[in-house]
Amino acid sequence: MTATTRTGGTTRTAAGTKARATGPARTALPGATAPALVVVAHGSRDPRALSTVRALLGDVRALCPTLPVHLGHIELNEPLLPDTLGALGDAAPAVLVPLLLGRGRHVTRDIPEMAGASPARTRVAAPLGPHPLLVDALHARLLEAGWPARVPADGAVVLASAGSRDPQSRAGTARTATHLAARLGVPVLPAYASAAAPTVPEAVRALAARGYRRVAVASCFTAPGRFATECAAAAPWIVSAPLGTHPAMARLLLHRYDEALRTVGTAAGRAAPVP
């Protein structure tokens, strides 16, 4: 795990990159116990994904030791989200934070439906992207992969994401690409592993046709898995690691939790997604 130090309103990682602070880690509810945080991961057959997600939850607990933090998966790994919510019951409210980077079907339909079918009193937070903290993590991972401090004139980046048919999801990825391009000072082209175009190989070829000879692939994935591996294999130059346990990710999960509490005022809603 990358060590961090806090200076004023900025968290600085050991690699020298900055992760922007986003205010308090959680909103206190006067006279009440804070609602549980349920991190909702997709699930993967790759065993590295589950170990990465568990480590990330450990980072969240380290930032907020008194906050109850639970894990639920949409599919493929245990515990599944319905089982996690069933164990919570209706005794205390919970905020579900998707460990997903865009507003696709899982965020707009699957998670609210699972939550609505449970006895738990829940609120579904926004997905992690787009957000400046996500750009911080992407930038840091590119630097770790060897992105040069001096911007190459023929450099460009393909932002590799899972993909979705939902236009809101693609719009969010495009916004993340725009912000990462502003941070790097080079073109950043969004590309997808499934369900949307262009694919990562297509984006690499498009940039090469425009004269960019050093094209990096930025992995916009929360953990290792099939999509991350396939996109990495298409990289003609450097490829960054999945975002995993970068310090900005734990802070972003807590920010979405806090944001959901501020939106609802109390956490008594039933599976209502945050706008």
Side-chain angles (χ1 to χ4, degrees):
M1 190 188 309
T2 307
T4 63
T5 57
R6 183 72 182 271
T7 305
T10 300
T11 299
R12 186 176 296 276
T13 69
T17 59
K18 295 179 181 178
R20 290 177 177 78
T22 59
R26 59 187 173 89
T27 297
L29 297 178
T33 302
L37 164 59
V38 178
V39 176
V40 185
H42 182 275
S44 172
R45 292 184 177 86
D46 190 323
R48 297 173 298 169
L50 181 56
S51 62
T52 299
V53 171
R54 285 174 172 165
L56 178 57
L57 263 65
D59 293 347
V60 172
R61 294 184 180 107
L63 288 174
C64 278
T66 62
L67 178 65
V69 179
H70 304 276
L71 173 62
H73 292 92
I74 296 170
E75 60 181 355
L76 300 175
N77 290 125
E78 294 182 346
L80 292 171
L81 179 57
D83 295 332
T84 297
L85 296 178
L88 289 176
D90 61 358
V95 176
L96 279 56
V97 181
L99 188 60
L100 301 168
L101 302 177
R103 190 176 288 276
R105 184 194 67 188
H106 292 315
V107 172
T108 60
R109 191 181 73 181
D110 295 343
I111 295 174
E113 286 180 357
M114 290 180 190
S118 80
R121 291 178 291 145
T122 58
R123 182 75 174 175
V124 181
L128 300 188
H131 193 273
L133 282 169
L134 180 59
V135 178
D136 288 341
L138 288 163
H139 185 203
R141 289 292 190 238
L142 279 171
L143 293 176
E144 293 167 1
W147 182 263
R150 189 169 184 176
V151 178
D154 60 348
V157 173
V158 171
L159 180 64
S161 300
S164 171
R165 293 182 178 87
D166 190 319
Q168 290 187 72
S169 179
R170 295 195 298 274
T173 302
R175 284 176 57 193
T176 298
T178 297
H179 293 311
L180 184 59
R183 182 78 59 87
L184 295 171
V186 301
V188 176
L189 185 61
Y192 306 95
S194 69
T199 66
V200 172
E202 288 169 346
V204 169
R205 290 194 294 270
L207 288 168
R210 290 161 54 186
Y212 295 102
R213 298 290 174 253
R214 285 193 281 184
V215 177
V217 172
S219 297
C220 196
F221 302 102
T222 55
R226 178 170 65 91
F227 284 166
T229 300
E230 290 174 355
C231 291
W237 182 37
I238 61 174
V239 58
S240 62
L243 304 174
T245 55
H246 185 276
M249 297 298 286
R251 290 187 58 79
L252 184 48
L253 282 167
L254 287 167
H255 171 68
R256 291 305 193 202
Y257 168 90
D258 188 60
E259 185 179 63
L261 291 187
R262 292 197 306 269
T263 301
V264 75
T266 65
R270 286 295 303 271
V274 171

